[in-house]
Amino acid sequence: YRQAAIYWHASGVGQDTDSEPENIEHFGMTTAEAAMNGCVPVVYNIGGPAEIVTKLGSGYVFSNLDELEAITRNLIELWYRDRANFNSISGTVQNRAEIFNPDNQQAAMKSIVDLDGLKITTACSKTNSFHPSAQTRRSSKTSAQDLI
């Protein structure tokens, strides 16, 4: 992500979303990771990536390949014609993506869920990608019944 300026996500294009919903990206974490690194997201308008762009209030969605091409051409032209404006868009995306920062996610989780007895941990890679995980503090094994 660090060397890219534009991030495409086209999972689901040309798919029948009713009969094959598994062919659509449901979460969109890579879109959030790209945005956290300043890539301007250009994503298909269905599924998790589109929800991420909507949540950010920045980036672009497309409904077909013609729209993808037009958006990409415009962004590339902007990159060459007005780098300051492109960098402003990229910076806005990156700043708004801070909502996906592991520390911010952990704080948000703590504000809505009683985490007594749980330790929330996150692991970050060099690209700021993260995968939240939770570990119990209990010394005994946790059974499925304990989780209900």
Side-chain angles (χ1 to χ4, degrees), residues 50-104:
E51 292 175 18
I52 297 293
V53 167
T54 299
K55 178 86 172 167
L56 292 175
S58 192
Y60 301 88
V61 296
F62 64 92
S63 299
N64 57 56
L65 296 180
D66 290 336
E67 289 180 6
L68 171 61
E69 180 183 357
I71 292 167
T72 302
R73 283 182 186 274
N74 287 339
L75 287 170
I76 291 171
E77 287 175 12
L78 186 61
W79 169 268
Y80 285 106
R81 188 182 69 245
D82 188 354
R83 185 69 59 89
N85 191 9
F86 185 94
N87 289 343
S88 176
I89 294 168
S90 173
T92 298
V93 167
Q94 190 170 21
N95 289 336
R96 291 180 179 175
E98 276 300 305
I99 62 173
F100 299 108
N101 177 299
D103 293 333
N104 294 335

Side-chain angles (χ1 to χ4, degrees), residues 19 24 57-58 64 69 83 110 118 127 130 141:
S19 66
I24 298 167
S58 192
N64 57 56
E69 180 183 357
R83 185 69 59 89
K110 285 180 179 178
L118 292 179
T127 62
F130 61 93
K141 292 182 179 177

Side-chain angles (χ1 to χ4, degrees), residues 106 109-110 113-121 133-138 142 146-147:
Q106 187 172 343
M109 180 65 80
K110 285 180 179 178
V113 177
D114 178 11
L115 297 177
D116 186 38
L118 292 179
K119 178 182 178 186
I120 303 297
T121 60
S133 64
Q135 299 173 340
T136 64
R137 289 185 187 160
R138 299 179 202 161
T142 303
D146 292 333
L147 299 174

